[in-house]
Amino acid sequence: MWLFINFVVVSISKSLFHPLISKSILVLKFKGRKTGKKYLIPVSYYEYSKQRLVCVTDRPNVWWRNLISVEEIEILFRGKMLKASVEVESENDDLIKAHLAALCEHSRVDGFFAKVRYKQGEPIEEDLKRAASRMTSIEINLSA
């Protein structure tokens, strides 16, 4: 099912219809470390600053390990293919929690998938801590 969903999201991201999803989803394009296989992975993101984007993914989703020692990748961002550098963080739960909190405030859909509940419109701190312990943060620098 996820392969089909990813295919649809990537297809929309490449099309004239990208504004439908571009405010919250971008596509990471990179090669596998061992296989050299090309990957197109759609991810939710929030804009940390003008040149810096952040996304969070579950640690068991091993695709992010391909980004650990990569100097540069391409991203499909708001209908344009751009070069970017990435920083992966899988151990600093406090940093991951901060990124996850910002992402959950940006999009309740991300909170749902991270199993973060809300109280009075704010993500619940305990849920953020629990979720951060099983997540990985990926910072994307567009100035590459």
Side-chain angles (χ1 to χ4, degrees):
M1 180 174 91
W2 284 110
L3 285 174
F4 177 72
I5 292 170
N6 285 356
F7 173 78
V8 171
V9 172
V10 169
S11 297
I12 292 170
S13 295
K14 291 178 177 180
S15 76
L16 295 174
F17 299 106
H18 74 84
L20 296 172
I21 60 174
S22 288
K23 291 182 181 172
S24 61
I25 296 175
L26 61 84
V27 178
L28 303 173
K29 181 181 177 184
F30 57 91
K31 288 184 180 180
R33 285 183 301 173
K34 295 178 183 175
T35 64
K37 178 182 172 185
K38 291 182 184 177
Y39 289 96
L40 293 169
I41 307 288
V43 293
S44 295
Y45 75 93
Y46 78 94
E47 211 161 340
Y48 183 78
S49 68
K50 187 172 173 118
Q51 295 293 313
R52 202 153 193 66
L53 311 170
V54 176
C55 60
V56 179
T57 190
D58 288 322
R59 281 183 200 152
N61 297 337
V62 296
W63 62 263
W64 59 267
R65 291 184 184 150
N66 289 298
L67 303 176
I68 291 174
S69 59
V70 172
E71 288 187 31
E72 188 176 84
I73 65 168
E74 291 182 295
I75 65 168
L76 187 52
F77 180 61
R78 297 184 178 158
K80 297 177 182 171
M81 192 62 78
L82 304 172
K83 302 257 187 230
S85 61
V86 292
E87 296 174 35
V88 176
E89 179 56 61
S90 61
E91 296 177 8
N92 183 341
D93 288 352
D94 291 333
L95 177 66
I96 296 167
K97 184 180 123 227
H99 288 167
L100 179 61
L103 189 61
C104 289
E105 289 170 10
H106 174 73
S107 168
R108 285 184 159 242
V109 172
D110 291 300
F112 172 80
F113 282 111
K115 297 182 175 84
V116 173
R117 296 170 293 166
Y118 294 81
K119 186 173 184 177
Q120 297 175 332
E122 297 294 319
I124 296 174
E125 186 74 17
E126 182 140 331
D127 288 356
L128 288 169
K129 280 184 185 177
R130 191 175 314 119
S133 70
R134 64 176 193 278
M135 297 282 186
T136 296
S137 171
I138 302 166
E139 292 187 48
I140 303 161
N141 185 346
L142 297 177
S143 62

